[in-house]
Amino acid sequence: MLLILTACSKNSVDKNCNFLLDVGVNTSINMNLPQYSQLSFVSNPVYIANVGNGGIYVTNTGTGFVAFDAADPNHIPSSCSVLTQDGINGICGCEDKNEYSLFNGLPLNNSSLRCSLKAYRVEANGNILSIFN
């Protein structure tokens, strides 16, 4: 019993994954608009500014849509910590160049990174995507 209680304690939370603010996200996009038309195809992430901590990336995975915060969760927010898109990956502009998959949010180039990208829920209703937390 003691093992179960200690395994669930608040001390087991990785404090290194607390850099991003828990901001409310509730936005909708119309994929019929030209700026979102790339989402009709698999593997074409689209960046949406002014949402979340550093904007968000939305990607069509072929089986649905995923959305991740564009701020590197392994950095204190700064001018360099917003990811830029490189194909299907997001790359941090800071010196360490952390790289993440925009398909699953996992770190790619640094096995010591503890935090994955912050995910948001996505619901598709026709050509409208609702992105929220």
Side-chain angles (χ1 to χ4, degrees):
M1 183 73 158
L2 182 60
L3 179 62
I4 293 171
L5 290 175
T6 57
C8 296
S9 76
K10 288 185 179 182
N11 293 336
S12 67
V13 173
D14 188 347
K15 293 187 186 320
N16 291 324
C17 292
N18 292 326
F19 291 127
L20 302 183
L21 299 173
D22 192 20
V23 296
V25 170
N26 187 6
T27 191
S28 296
I29 60 171
N30 183 340
M31 293 192 308
N32 288 329
L33 296 174
Q35 63 265 38
Y36 305 119
S37 64
Q38 293 291 348
L39 290 173
S40 298
F41 308 100
V42 176
S43 302
N44 288 316
V46 171
Y47 177 74
I48 303 169
N50 303 318
V51 181
N53 287 275
I56 57 174
Y57 280 105
V58 180
T59 305
N60 179 345
T61 64
T63 58
F65 295 91
V66 293
F68 297 103
D69 205 296
D72 187 336
N74 290 287
H75 280 285
I76 295 172
S78 68
S79 60
C80 71
S81 66
V82 175
L83 306 177
T84 56
Q85 182 183 342
D86 182 16
I88 59 169
N89 299 331
I91 300 175
C92 175
C94 298
E95 189 174 312
D96 53 15
K97 303 286 186 207
N98 293 337
E99 189 171 350
Y100 301 87
S101 167
L102 296 176
F103 257 69
N104 59 23
L106 296 175
L108 296 173
N109 66 339
N110 188 341
S111 62
S112 67
L113 294 178
R114 299 178 139 185
C115 310
S116 298
L117 294 178
K118 183 178 180 112
Y120 297 107
R121 294 194 282 175
V122 181
E123 287 183 2
N125 187 6
N127 284 324
I128 306 295
L129 294 182
S130 297
I131 303 157
F132 56 96
N133 54 356

